[in-house]
Amino acid sequence: MDLSAELAAARESYTRNGLTEGDLAADPFEMFERWYAEARDAGIVEPNAMVVSTVSAEGAPSSRLVLLKGFSADGFTFFTNTASRKGSDLATNPRIAVLFPWHPLERQVRIDGIAHEVPRVEVEAYFCQRPRGSQLGAHASHQSRVVTGREELAAAYERVEAEFDDQPVPVPEEWGGYRVEPAAVEFWQGRPGRMHDRLVYRREGDTWRTERLAP
């Protein structure tokens, strides 16, 4: 199989909807809530899955999928191991990019902003809601560190499981969360002929202005 030829020919025609300035809500938070509800109701698997991109102190970018676990006018919240690569990146450079890839609806939402650490009390409240297996896993896995194999991870989980047998699982010291305060939020809707709609909210003090970008 000639994969290069296959990839060159692979394309979809986006014909579902358009996005006009008149469709926009008053602010990006109301607009995001509207689009998220439509993604959820459309049956998209894990509509809260988002690509988070960070940059290291050396300028090396990296991206990964995480789950949105909180949303308000203050920003978009996710939880993670703060000693992971993303946590190390954000400790030196809090600028962050977020992408929600809702392909079945021919939509994307892109967010550029600053990541702020979530207060510990909020981290603890969320951690207590997690399934016990996930709580144990947060202790057993030191995210992004090299391990010798699957056996090492399994042994670490078994040790933690025995340690906290019949006890509440405490929040690990290196586990926390970030709230992304957006500076710009782009709503992208596919269109035929690759003439996509790209409407962006940009923060100006306490207000938002909108503009259209060429696709």
Side-chain angles (χ1 to χ4, degrees), residues 9 64 89 134 195 197:
R64 74 289 288 166
D89 287 354
S134 297
M195 296 298 288
D197 290 317

Side-chain angles (χ1 to χ4, degrees), residues 202-215:
R202 296 195 187 279
R203 189 189 295 274
E204 291 188 341
D206 294 330
T207 63
W208 296 89
R209 66 178 172 87
T210 59
E211 59 189 16
R212 177 180 285 269
L213 302 180

Side-chain angles (χ1 to χ4, degrees), residues 44-63:
I44 291 177
V45 177
E46 291 194 316
N48 59 327
M50 59 188 192
V51 180
V52 164
S53 300
T54 57
V55 178
S56 72
E58 295 74 33
S62 60
S63 300

Side-chain angles (χ1 to χ4, degrees), residues 14-31:
Y14 299 142
T15 59
R16 289 179 61 93
N17 292 297
L19 180 65
T20 69
E21 286 76 359
D23 296 325
L24 294 179
D27 62 59
F29 304 108
E30 181 183 347
M31 189 67 186

Side-chain angles (χ1 to χ4, degrees), residues 104-138:
L105 296 181
E106 300 170 1
R107 288 177 173 175
Q108 301 177 50
V109 178
R110 296 178 58 248
I111 302 164
D112 296 325
I114 300 294
H116 304 278
E117 286 199 47
V118 170
R120 195 64 181 173
V121 63
E122 190 172 335
V123 171
E124 292 173 351
Y126 172 72
F127 189 84
C128 290
Q129 299 175 14
R130 303 185 84 204
R132 185 176 179 85
S134 297
Q135 293 176 341
L136 293 171

Side-chain angles (χ1 to χ4, degrees), residues 36 45-51 65-68 99-102:
Y36 182 86
V45 177
E46 291 194 316
N48 59 327
M50 59 188 192
V51 180
L65 276 170
V66 303
L67 296 178
L68 178 69
L99 168 68
F100 289 89
W102 294 328

